Amino acid sequence: MLRHSLSIPALGAAHASRAPTAIPATRCCVAAAIRSASTTTSTRGRPPPTHPARQAKIAAAAAKRREQHEQRMTAAASKSASASASAVTAKSAAQAAAELSKRKQFMSITPRSDVLDLIQSWGLGENKRPTVNPDKYPLVAHAKRPVEFVAAAKREGSFWKNEERWPEIAMIGRSNVGKSRLINAVCGTTIVRVKAKPGLTQSINWYKVAKPLRGYVVDMPGYGFAYAKDERKEGWSEIIPEYLKRPQVSRLLVLVDARHGLKMADVEFLDSISRLRRLPKSIILTKCDLVRPDILARRYQSVCQDVHKFGIQPSNVVMVSAKSGAGLIPLRTLLKRELMTTAEAEAAAGQ
Ligand SMILES: Nc1nc2c(ncn2[C@@H]2O[C@H](COP(=O)(O)OP(=O)(O)O)[C@@H](O)[C@H]2O)c(=O)[nH]1
Ligand SMILES: [Mg+2]
């Protein structure tokens, strides 16, 4: 065997140059020797792939290739990450710049002295208290229950009929703007559920006001609720205009957070209802106890300017805090004016 393996290079070369013919039985052992020899020594004098030194070299080369590939991949990934990060940075920088310029613009508004006086006279603004106790001027005096829940509807078919056609004052605004708490405060009740969690009111709720007033205060689902499922949003966007078309709706109070002013959702809503019937509207700036008086004055002025294009006059922009009670008295005056007295209601029924 050893002898054969020594003569293998010559034999191998001779065998390769010959045409493939049947190998006689006597030469089979030689062919086997060639095959076995080719596993230990190559024809060019290199060690065969199974040789430990060669295997180590192959493994080292493969490891180097792998390492190079990983380096290339890491470089490509970090390049694309830095590209997207710089795009995000550019976008947020643009947003921040827009915010800054908006804020600059807002702060450049000079608070008018008459607006500052109004704020001071009602005790509005951060850390202020109402100058007149609102409990002295309730919506309905001596009523055990100033308002009573009568109905809730999630679709047009189940709207409260209100066949007497008593006036309905609808409260609407973005979710969490303070609708429910304001209804409680202005009516002097606690029956409307208030929660910090947005989107609690998912139906239109009618609250009947006690005698001698006649009418309803209506709590509506919040619009622009980011977490609502799409089908729920669609349902609401249908039900709200359907409700506002009703002739019983005598006034719409659009609540806007005094800390933020008009948001996109408010503008879109006001725009969408401007195509409906001519419905008297008021803007109620809520949570005024959370805003510094000078900021509140600027906010009032800028909101008055913003809503002018929707036909809403400054006399219909009201500042209030359901928490401190400041501004509740003028809001109650507005509601009383809107809700008919019993005599007026009876006269209307007799017609
Ligand atoms: N500081 C302050 N918080 C308020 C005022 N009005 C409402 N809130 C709070 O705002 C959150 C949402 O109020 P809610 O009336 O349920 O809002 P809705 O979703 O519009 O009905 C609750 O945590 C309220 O306590 C307010 O005038 N001042
Ligand atoms: Mg609510």
Side-chain angles (χ1 to χ4, degrees):
M1 189 70 183
L2 184 66
R3 206 154 31 93
H4 282 310
S5 66
L6 284 174
S7 60
I8 279 160
L11 273 172
H15 185 70
S17 63
R18 223 182 291 145
T21 49
I23 301 169
T26 49
R27 286 163 67 188
C28 272
C29 59
V30 177
I34 293 165
R35 277 198 300 277
S36 100
S38 70
T39 62
T40 53
T41 318
S42 96
T43 49
R44 279 183 259 154
R46 269 192 299 165
T50 49
H51 192 279
R54 182 91 195 275
Q55 269 185 344
K57 214 172 157 185
I58 290 168
K64 196 175 173 187
R65 270 201 307 278
R66 246 197 327 272
E67 197 183 323
Q68 282 172 345
H69 175 73
E70 272 164 20
Q71 275 173 358
R72 275 200 303 276
M73 293 301 284
T74 316
S78 75
K79 199 175 165 188
S80 81
S82 74
S84 66
S86 65
V88 168
T89 318
K91 199 173 163 199
S92 56
Q95 273 173 351
E99 273 302 311
L100 198 72
S101 83
K102 246 182 22 200
R103 173 123 192 104
K104 246 183 167 174
Q105 229 176 332
F106 176 76
M107 290 310 283
S108 71
I109 300 171
T110 310
R112 285 198 332 250
S113 60
D114 60 324
V115 179
L116 286 169
D117 287 349
L118 186 75
I119 289 168
Q120 203 189 354
S121 68
W122 287 115
L124 289 154
E126 202 175 38
N127 302 324
K128 300 277 190 261
R129 301 185 64 79
T131 46
V132 182
N133 182 1
D135 295 345
K136 286 187 180 168
Y137 301 89
L139 184 69
V140 191
H142 316 300
K144 205 167 158 198
R145 288 205 206 107
V147 287
E148 207 179 323
F149 171 77
V150 289
K154 285 190 176 182
R155 65 189 79 83
E156 196 188 347
S158 43
F159 282 173
W160 175 247
K161 292 277 183 291
N162 186 6
E163 278 157 357
E164 304 95 333
R165 295 229 173 177
W166 288 346
E168 294 180 13
I169 301 174
M171 301 258 200
I172 203 162
R174 291 194 312 127
S175 191
N176 225 30
V177 72
K179 294 177 291 295
S180 302
R181 189 165 174 177
L182 188 62
I183 294 176
N184 278 337
V186 82
C187 299
T189 181
T190 51
I191 66 166
V192 188
R193 273 212 295 163
V194 175
K195 246 192 175 171
K197 190 171 166 261
L200 186 75
T201 311
Q202 291 169 13
S203 52
I204 299 180
N205 299 321
W206 282 258
Y207 297 90
K208 187 174 164 186
V209 183
K211 284 181 181 176
L213 294 174
R214 277 295 175 239
Y216 302 88
V217 172
V218 182
D219 192 9
M220 299 192 68
Y223 54 72
F225 178 35
Y227 317 104
K229 288 203 178 107
D230 281 349
E231 68 266 28
R232 217 162 77 185
K233 273 191 208 166
E234 269 170 29
W236 292 344
S237 58
E238 295 266 312
I239 197 178
I240 291 171
E242 281 310 320
Y243 170 71
L244 295 177
K245 276 183 207 160
R246 280 165 46 113
Q248 288 95 329
V249 184
S250 69
R251 182 168 285 271
L252 178 65
L253 308 187
V254 182
L255 275 61
V256 172
D257 195 319
R259 293 170 298 175
H260 312 302
L262 288 191
K263 291 264 190 180
M264 193 54 107
D266 299 309
V267 174
E268 279 172 5
F269 172 72
L270 286 168
D271 195 40
S272 72
I273 60 159
S274 65
R275 288 186 284 274
L276 289 176
R277 70 186 174 95
R278 281 179 68 85
L279 176 64
K281 298 174 212 74
S282 298
I283 301 288
I284 314 295
L285 289 176
T286 63
K287 308 193 186 184
C288 290
D289 58 289
L290 299 173
V291 186
R292 240 170 45 201
D294 62 309
I295 302 284
L296 187 56
R298 290 185 176 97
R299 184 70 69 212
Y300 174 85
Q301 288 168 220
S302 81
V303 167
C304 285
Q305 204 177 347
D306 290 344
V307 298
H308 184 74
K309 57 177 166 287
F310 300 109
I312 302 169
Q313 301 306 315
S315 58
N316 276 319
V317 180
V318 179
M319 291 174 275
V320 74
S321 163
K323 189 179 178 189
S324 73
L328 284 181
I329 296 171
L331 188 56
R332 281 178 187 155
T333 309
L334 189 149
L335 260 70
K336 280 182 197 174
R337 218 174 41 219
E338 211 61 55
L339 299 167
M340 285 193 277
T341 62
T342 311
E344 283 174 318
E346 278 161 5
Q351 275 175 5

